[in-house]
Amino acid sequence: NTSHQLSSLPLQILFYLNGIYYIFYFLATLAMIVYKSEVFSYPDDFLAPDLALLLIMAVLEVLRLYLGSKGNLTEEEAPLGLSLALTVGSVILSVYFLVWQTYVLRADVVINAVLLFTYGLESVLKVVAIAAFVS
Amino acid sequence: PQETRAAAPARTRRGPAPVTDVAKLCVCDLLVAQCDVNCCCDPDCSAADFSLFTTCSVPIVTGDNRLCSQKAAIYSLDVEANPPERIFKLIDQVNPSIFCIHTTNYKQALSFSSPEMPTSENFDQLLKEFGSAAFSAEPDSWNMNTDAQNPADANETYRYEYGVPIQTVDAFLRLPSPVVSSWCSDANPAAFLVNQATKCTRSLSVEKCGSIQAVSMLFYINSSILAVNITVQSVVIQSLNGMQTSLNGSDVLRLPMILDELCINVVLGVSYHITYTDAGEIIEAAASFVLGAIKKEALSIQQSFEISFTQVNTKPVPLSGNPGYVVGLPVRAGFRPQGYPFPVEILFAALNTNKYGQLTILQSTSSQDCLESQGARTPILFGYNMVSGCKLRITAAMKCQLLAQTLLDLLKGQSFPEYVASFGNSQAHNVLDWVPITHLHNSEQRIYNAFQSSCQIPVSLEIAVKWTKYGSLVNPQARIVNVTATITSTILKQLPSGRERTIPITSSVVFSDISSPAEPGYKAWPTINAKLPFDFFFPFV
């Protein structure tokens, strides 16, 4: 029965939009870090962790979206579960950029809030999809 | 008391704590315990004082306005009320920009850091960092460069620049000069390449003449200029009535001593001659002395000092300007020896009749007879137009060709130079600094007839010197660009025998300024220098 499809379409759409939004988020955060380092006093030992965490977040995001998309399309719960675990890491990093960054601008607050909302929605849909695959 | 003394070195003093509450901050409160005028935030002011204010000089006190939301204290005067009263409001100011700082986790971000308090431990380091005229972010590299330049080697030759005091082993080469009054001060250092001549008075009496150092020869040749000893070039003895005799043996040092109620060998004048290379090193120093005697009644003597600098392997030539010609100084000229450009070591020989290498012109004499005045010439001074001349009496017996040659010699002088120095300090070996003299010949042509065989005699020489202003707008230097010598000849008609004629012979020099109008030069437009710090991608690059 080909119409019985367990892959979640909303989740896939969300992955796609998340990918596009994350590219914008990464460039915007990088640009704002550059702006902050020019305008404010941003010593090197505060700049380095912020940049490092941004790059780790980018790597994590790529991995997370790939695994989640693969798991959803092949209807396997293992990659999807791994993606959910990586989402936790991404959430923590997003909270860092929202609250514990050296300088948090209002724009930072906005884009991180949007990202966290996306993560939350994704997590819910992933749990639903895993439940559908398992059963 | 003892335990506080022991605790004191361990405790570091702190400066006053910074005030961050905007309600308590007042920048216009300058007078302590008194009300500042128009300062609405001053706590020393009462309501009666506020009623006399016209405006508030400080209307708002805020923190950094890049923060998204911050407290602000607003002071204003309500002039409608009677009497006027001050209104104080504490509000939350919101920055609408999307790039305002929401929070910051870097405590020192938005405030000035408290400076380190100097203690006995960190004093040296603080002095090294902040003790000079400019603070640098990298003091160590700058200090290393300056240390490398001052090893103070007496063996190494020291290169001087213009105006730098000449160093000797202990201090500087002294050229005593009058300061404020006419009394000699020994603290004037001689500066490199600055020719100085000073005269000053020194108090002296016969009894003390052996003890005052500054009147003995030893004082002036004692200190050696680093590696170079000061040699005695010549000694001239001046007697009491002013007659000077030069001594043959200049090796022996003559110290002041008392002889028959006179003090002899007292230094009346010193003239230093310093020889330097073109790299700025001093290789020779010589001093010439004038020694005199003073009588018992004398209370002071006048001493004169001079220093002059000569470049090695050159003959000292008096400059007419540095570099541009100075008005009133003679125009320098010379010849080009044969064989140029092959032997470049041969210098220009300045072989004019005037041995200083100057351009000269016929000098008018009182007799006004050309043939009598035997070649009296006067140097041409820059900027001064001159006319001179004489009268020539022509008799029938004079041969025309001989007369023409004599007049040419008279007008031009024995050896008229070929080149004129374009700058006042042109060196003989810089070929391009010399301007060739252009010769023109004007012959007065009368009616073209068959008697063209009658010869022509020169009657006037006009030297036209064209000069221009060269260099910067605020300090233009005079530079000679063109020199033209025009000889005007006239036909000498054969006189009937017995008759004689007098014709005037003139020579003139005209200086004309052909400088083009100044063009201002603008500096380049400022450019925005925006670049990332070089270690921006640390630690990934």
Side-chain angles (χ1 to χ4, degrees):
Chain A
N1 194 351
T2 53
S3 65
H4 185 62
Q5 172 189 302
L6 296 175
S7 307
S8 164
L9 181 62
L11 184 60
Q12 200 60 33
I13 296 174
L14 204 56
F15 280 147
Y16 181 72
L17 292 176
N18 192 357
I20 295 177
Y21 178 73
Y22 190 77
I23 293 173
F24 161 75
Y25 170 90
F26 179 80
L27 293 173
T29 307
L30 193 62
M32 277 196 288
I33 288 182
V34 170
Y35 165 76
K36 285 176 220 170
S37 73
E38 293 293 311
V39 170
F40 306 129
S41 148
Y42 212 150
D44 287 344
D45 41 357
F46 287 89
L47 183 59
D50 287 352
L51 281 175
L53 287 172
L54 184 65
L55 281 155
I56 290 174
M57 194 181 182
V59 169
L60 219 59
E61 189 73 15
V62 166
L63 211 58
R64 193 182 69 89
L65 287 174
Y66 170 72
L67 284 172
S69 180
K70 176 164 166 239
N72 187 27
L73 290 175
T74 56
E75 296 181 7
E76 280 177 35
E77 58 276 2
L80 210 52
L82 199 55
S83 175
L84 193 60
L86 289 176
T87 305
V88 174
S90 285
V91 162
I92 292 174
L93 284 173
S94 182
V95 167
Y96 170 85
F97 281 108
L98 181 67
V99 174
W100 299 315
Q101 218 190 145
T102 309
Y103 290 98
V104 181
L105 306 182
R106 188 178 282 163
D108 278 318
V109 172
V110 167
I111 58 177
N112 277 296
V114 170
L115 197 65
L116 279 173
F117 173 72
T118 312
Y119 287 165
L121 203 58
E122 250 178 38
S123 305
V124 166
L125 287 175
K126 272 187 208 163
V127 167
V128 166
I130 289 177
F133 294 159
V134 162
S135 63
Chain B
Q2 263 180 350
E3 96 186 342
T4 52
R5 238 182 281 143
R11 191 184 52 217
T12 58
R13 288 182 308 129
R14 300 237 140 263
V19 176
T20 50
D21 184 4
V22 288
K24 295 198 181 51
L25 205 58
C26 195
V27 277
C28 55
D29 179 14
L30 301 169
L31 300 170
V32 173
Q34 272 184 49
C35 182
D36 292 84
V37 180
N38 276 346
C39 185
C40 296
C41 54
D42 195 343
D44 309 313
C45 296
S46 63
D49 296 320
F50 286 132
S51 63
L52 298 171
F53 289 172
T54 50
T55 80
C56 281
S57 59
V58 173
I60 186 168
V61 181
T62 65
D64 191 344
N65 60 356
R66 288 181 297 201
L67 290 171
C68 286
S69 106
Q70 54 178 326
K71 282 215 172 307
I74 302 197
Y75 300 93
S76 59
L77 275 184
D78 183 12
V79 289
E80 307 283 322
N82 187 12
E85 54 186 37
R86 175 199 76 164
I87 304 175
F88 167 61
K89 280 198 293 236
L90 200 61
I91 60 166
D92 280 318
Q93 200 183 43
V94 172
N95 186 345
S97 159
I98 196 164
F99 295 115
C100 63
I101 301 176
H102 190 258
T103 49
T104 169
N105 293 304
Y106 173 41
K107 280 293 159 269
Q108 300 101 300
L110 303 169
S111 59
F112 293 114
S113 57
S114 308
E116 248 181 274
M117 275 296 181
T119 61
S120 47
E121 290 91 48
N122 63 5
F123 188 78
D124 291 321
Q125 179 250 327
L126 285 179
L127 184 66
K128 195 158 64 140
E129 207 180 326
F130 300 115
S132 59
F135 306 151
S136 68
E138 306 167 23
D140 291 337
S141 59
W142 288 13
N143 282 345
M144 273 194 318
N145 281 343
T146 53
D147 281 341
Q149 271 176 12
N150 299 333
D153 289 324
N155 295 335
E156 242 181 55
T157 50
Y158 183 74
R159 293 208 158 91
Y160 290 94
E161 289 180 9
Y162 178 85
V164 168
I166 298 174
Q167 289 196 320
T168 61
V169 175
D170 46 357
F172 295 109
L173 185 67
R174 285 171 296 254
L175 205 72
S177 69
V179 180
V180 183
S181 64
S182 65
W183 295 105
C184 287
S185 149
D186 289 328
N188 180 37
F192 187 67
L193 286 191
V194 176
N195 294 333
Q196 281 181 308
T198 58
K199 277 197 192 7
C200 59
T201 320
R202 210 176 280 277
S203 78
L204 185 65
S205 62
V206 175
E207 299 87 37
K208 288 190 293 183
C209 84
S211 58
I212 296 187
Q213 276 198 325
V215 296
S216 100
M217 267 175 77
L218 201 60
F219 182 68
Y220 297 101
I221 59 175
N222 199 3
S223 51
S224 62
I225 298 176
L226 292 181
V228 174
N229 283 330
I230 304 183
T231 56
V232 177
Q233 195 174 33
S234 68
V235 174
V236 165
I237 303 276
Q238 179 168 317
S239 68
L240 278 175
N241 56 5
M243 194 167 73
Q244 294 188 342
T245 47
S246 166
L247 283 188
N248 274 343
S250 50
D251 304 335
V252 77
L253 205 62
R254 288 165 184 273
L255 295 174
M257 55 186 178
I258 302 180
L259 192 70
D260 296 338
E261 293 187 350
L262 296 176
C263 186
I264 63 169
N265 294 337
V266 166
V267 171
L268 292 181
V270 184
S271 176
Y272 287 106
H273 301 280
I274 312 275
T275 309
Y276 64 97
T277 65
D278 50 6
E281 302 155 339
I282 293 183
I283 55 174
E284 239 186 271
S288 307
F289 289 92
V290 173
L291 301 178
I294 59 164
K295 293 199 287 229
K296 198 169 59 146
E297 300 85 31
L299 290 174
S300 64
I301 54 165
Q302 193 179 48
Q303 293 184 311
S304 60
F305 300 93
E306 200 192 327
I307 187 166
S308 64
F309 293 87
T310 314
Q311 196 169 350
V312 69
N313 289 336
T314 62
K315 265 191 326 201
V317 166
L319 295 179
S320 299
N322 193 19
Y325 273 102
V326 172
V327 168
L329 291 183
V331 171
R332 293 176 51 223
F335 294 89
R336 186 183 69 190
Q338 297 292 31
Y340 181 79
F342 304 107
V344 291
E345 305 85 66
I346 297 178
L347 307 172
F348 276 63
L351 293 174
N352 207 339
T353 45
N354 191 324
K355 70 176 162 83
Y356 294 110
Q358 297 158 348
L359 199 59
T360 56
I361 192 179
L362 171 75
Q363 186 173 29
S364 308
T365 57
S366 52
S367 65
Q368 288 188 23
D369 190 346
C370 291
L371 301 174
E372 248 183 54
S373 67
Q374 286 306 316
R377 301 188 73 81
T378 175
I380 294 179
L381 304 177
F382 184 81
Y384 288 164
N385 298 338
M386 294 170 163
V387 171
S388 63
C390 54
K391 286 198 184 357
L392 180 69
R393 244 182 35 210
I394 307 179
T395 60
M398 283 184 185
K399 291 248 183 315
C400 177
Q401 298 286 10
L402 198 60
L403 196 61
Q405 191 54 45
T406 313
L407 283 176
L408 203 62
D409 283 341
L410 192 70
L411 283 172
K412 282 192 163 178
Q414 282 305 102
S415 40
F416 195 66
E418 298 167 7
Y419 286 83
V420 168
S422 89
F423 284 110
N425 66 349
S426 296
Q427 297 296 319
H429 46 268
N430 293 339
V431 180
L432 299 173
D433 271 349
W434 294 75
V435 173
I437 298 182
T438 316
H439 288 85
L440 293 181
H441 197 114
N442 269 349
S443 47
E444 197 189 297
Q445 300 248 335
R446 291 284 178 79
I447 312 155
Y448 189 100
N449 53 14
F451 299 116
Q452 278 305 304
S453 57
S454 54
C455 72
Q456 307 202 340
I457 53 167
V459 287
S460 90
L461 168 69
E462 278 162 33
I463 300 180
V465 180
K466 293 199 176 63
W467 63 279
T468 175
K469 292 199 190 84
Y470 187 82
S472 75
L473 205 58
V474 292
N475 189 15
Q477 304 296 314
R479 177 189 190 176
I480 292 182
V481 274
N482 194 342
V483 177
T484 311
T486 311
I487 301 250
T488 308
S489 316
T490 179
I491 300 174
L492 181 66
K493 288 203 296 266
Q494 195 61 27
L495 284 175
S497 70
R499 298 283 293 276
E500 60 179 37
R501 229 177 97 191
T502 309
I503 52 173
I505 308 287
T506 54
S507 63
S508 62
V509 178
V510 172
F511 287 86
S512 39
D513 179 1
I514 57 162
S515 31
S516 46
E519 282 171 17
Y522 293 105
K523 280 168 40 166
W525 278 98
T527 53
I528 299 176
N529 186 13
K531 55 185 199 293
L532 296 177
F534 76 100
D535 54 354
F536 183 63
F537 286 106
F538 176 83
F540 299 104
V541 166

